[in-house]
Amino acid sequence: MKAVFQALAANAKLHPNAIAINEGSRSISWSGLADAVARAASGFATSSKVVGLRLSGIDYVIGDLAATLAGRRLVPVPAFFSDGQIAHLMQDAGADLVTSLPDGRRGHSLDYAGGATRVIYTSGTTGRPKGVVLGDRQIAASLAALSQALQPGPDDRYLSVLPQAQLLEQVCGMFMPILAGAPVVIDREAAASLFTGDGRALARIAEETHPTVTVLAPRQLALWVAELRRGAPAPASLRYVAVGGAPVAPALLSEARALGLPVAEGYGLSEACSVVAMTPTTASDGSTMTVLDGVDVSIEDGEIVIAGPTVMEGYLHGECQQGPWHTGDLGQLQDGRLEVLGRRDAMILRQSGRNIAPEWVEAEALADPAFPVAALVQTPEDELILVAAAISSPDMAGLIQRLSALPSYARPDQLVIVDPRAPGLIRPSGTADRRVAAELARSATTGCMTLRYPEQQSQPVEVTS
């Protein structure tokens, strides 16, 4: 992180009046950002040693950098967390919740002494939040690897539309632009598309601000593509659109690229400081991920294992992480190219002996913006049921077409459409709880249909409604 603060000081000296961050009607220059960070850091230096940061926009950037500069332990708090969830985080981390920037003295130095840590809460596979502890070593190594891969520069303009409490957005949307001297555009309405299901703000802000780089969740990509289909233009300024956090349907990637979005996939996890592999900027498609420089990836018994300086210090309240990190993700590695196959503990084993990673089937459903979440579950009779929460009418013809491209043994036998408000279905991470989905499938009396694929089209689709 020392390099980030050195770059911030240099940007403030060389380009004091240039805009560093724009957020709607509010903006801040490089000198203004440097002064605000220094002042807030002075205030944090006399406050709690563990800071639960619940801010947004420009204030979040200032608060994150200032708490780090003051050597504090930082706990980013997701804006969508309930009061009860926030209370749990603060108690677990021993943090004091901060909802406004502290006031400190002007002229505080930007010389970072080191030693700050951040705790990123991840829901894992059980839904119980776990705190991943990361320090200077992990952040610096991740920034070096990503900078080598993306080659950012002052001519870039980063569009920030992911929640700022996500580690990926902290690294790509805050630290890396500062290192590059590149401006950032923050748009809260576009970020809210993850929860509202409306991609118009994302398409509009991209058209208005001419970004060169942005990072999206798969759902945001699906919403943006839906707007492009309706005639929204893809900004010619874009050179790289990274999509990560979950598998993306190949058909969605292909359509996005055909509509003018230079989309590429990425793979990572908080335990390895966010990004492990990504599609190179020179790739002709978005499907081949290359392991980042400085990250050591191997496959052991089919499981992705990561070693190197980006691996976390450990889980909060747990032992220090020693040696390689066994991710629990299944994958294949050939000539430096990584293919991720899904979670080991989520794998479905059919009676035929075939293994199915449910994430890749679910991705085909999530390519439709009508579905915020989806889950593939197996019945005791060895049937596959796709449980999908719908906020609008889905494109059934498109869904059948995408599912038809799967091997026959991986195609769902039934589709059950459920209410996204079903208790416990959507976890705080925004993904579906498959256990809840399985129970909804068992108890469903409406919204059920038997799926028929092209070779079965002579048979009627059975619908229960």
Side-chain angles (χ1 to χ4, degrees):
M1 284 297 293
K2 191 173 186 66
V4 173
F5 291 106
Q6 289 174 336
L8 177 57
N11 295 337
K13 182 177 181 180
L14 294 173
H15 312 288
N17 299 319
I19 298 300
I21 309 174
N22 185 284
E23 182 190 8
S25 61
R26 181 187 179 191
S27 63
I28 191 168
S29 66
W30 285 114
S31 61
L33 179 61
D35 290 344
V37 168
R39 182 166 184 166
S42 174
F44 277 125
T46 58
S47 68
S48 171
K49 293 186 180 298
V50 186
V51 175
L53 198 64
R54 194 187 191 191
L55 299 172
S56 62
I58 292 175
D59 285 347
Y60 180 88
V61 177
I62 295 170
D64 186 302
L65 292 169
T68 302
L69 181 61
R72 277 12 195 182
R73 168 163 282 181
L74 176 68
V75 184
V77 179
F80 55 86
F81 266 26
S82 67
D83 290 343
Q85 290 170 324
I86 294 172
H88 169 74
L89 257 62
M90 296 303 96
Q91 181 179 15
D92 187 61
D96 287 339
L97 186 64
V98 171
T99 57
S100 61
L101 292 170
D103 192 19
R105 59 181 175 84
R106 295 183 181 274
H108 186 75
S109 172
L110 288 178
D111 186 18
Y112 175 57
T117 57
R118 63 188 57 226
V119 181
I120 305 298
Y121 276 87
T122 174
S123 61
T125 57
T126 64
R128 181 176 179 81
K130 295 182 292 185
V132 174
V133 182
L134 303 166
D136 293 328
R137 183 195 73 194
Q138 290 84 7
I139 299 293
S142 182
L143 282 171
L146 282 168
S147 295
Q148 175 66 26
L150 291 177
Q151 295 292 308
D155 293 333
D156 276 315
R157 181 186 299 271
Y158 182 86
L159 177 59
S160 175
V161 293
L162 284 178
Q164 291 170 298
Q166 287 191 11
L167 177 62
L168 181 61
E169 193 61 19
Q170 294 158 31
V171 173
C172 294
M174 289 171 38
F175 307 146
M176 197 158 58
I178 291 174
L179 285 175
V184 174
V185 175
I186 298 174
D187 193 84
R188 298 190 200 183
E189 191 177 357
S193 63
L194 276 170
F195 311 101
T196 64
D198 188 343
R200 288 174 294 180
L202 175 56
R204 186 189 70 249
I205 195 67
E207 181 184 1
E208 292 174 353
T209 60
H210 309 291
T212 61
V213 179
T214 190
V215 179
L216 307 174
R219 175 151 179 78
Q220 289 172 312
L221 177 63
L223 292 167
W224 196 354
V225 166
E227 294 305 315
L228 296 178
R229 290 193 202 111
R230 298 185 183 104
S237 56
L238 284 168
R239 69 177 184 87
Y240 199 85
V241 178
V243 183
V248 186
L252 179 61
L253 285 173
S254 297
E255 184 178 9
R257 295 184 72 86
L259 291 170
L261 298 183
V263 180
E265 282 192 277
Y267 164 72
L269 61 171
S270 297
E271 288 87 346
C273 205
S274 191
V275 184
V276 171
M278 59 193 299
T279 306
T281 57
T282 55
S284 59
D285 59 53
S287 60
T288 302
M289 288 189 289
T290 302
V291 176
L292 297 182
D293 287 350
V295 180
D296 183 12
V297 173
S298 60
I299 306 295
E300 297 183 13
D301 296 326
E303 181 180 11
I304 299 173
V305 179
I306 302 170
T310 63
V311 175
M312 66 176 175
E313 294 184 6
Y315 286 120
L316 192 65
H317 311 310
E319 297 180 357
C320 291
Q321 174 62 29
Q322 300 290 334
W325 171 249
H326 292 252
T327 65
D329 292 324
L330 299 174
Q332 298 177 161
L333 185 65
Q334 184 175 8
D335 298 328
R337 295 189 298 273
L338 180 65
E339 180 183 4
V340 183
L341 303 177
R343 291 289 301 176
R344 180 189 290 277
D345 52 13
M347 196 65 66
I348 292 174
L349 177 61
R350 303 210 71 177
Q351 291 177 6
S352 63
R354 296 282 194 170
N355 290 327
I356 303 169
E359 297 91 343
W360 298 102
V361 180
E362 293 158 1
E364 303 296 347
L366 298 178
D368 189 329
F371 297 130
V373 295
L376 184 71
V377 299
Q378 183 183 27
T379 71
E381 295 76 30
D382 196 37
E383 282 198 321
L384 295 179
I385 300 179
L386 181 62
V387 180
I391 59 173
S392 60
S393 297
D395 175 8
M396 286 302 301
L399 176 62
I400 291 294
Q401 183 179 26
R402 292 191 300 275
L403 293 176
S404 296
L406 297 170
S408 59
Y409 64 83
R411 297 174 187 171
D413 301 292
Q414 295 186 58
L415 172 68
V416 175
I417 296 180
V418 298
D419 190 329
R421 295 168 296 182
L425 175 62
I426 302 180
R427 292 155 48 184
S429 60
T431 58
D433 187 318
R434 293 191 183 94
R435 291 170 298 182
V436 174
E439 181 57 38
L440 290 171
R442 283 192 293 268
S443 60
T445 57
T446 61
C448 308
M449 63 183 72
T450 299
L451 297 176
R452 303 296 186 192
Y453 298 98
E455 63 272 20
Q456 304 169 313
Q457 288 303 314
S458 59
Q459 305 175 46
V461 175
E462 300 172 11
V463 181
T464 304
S465 59

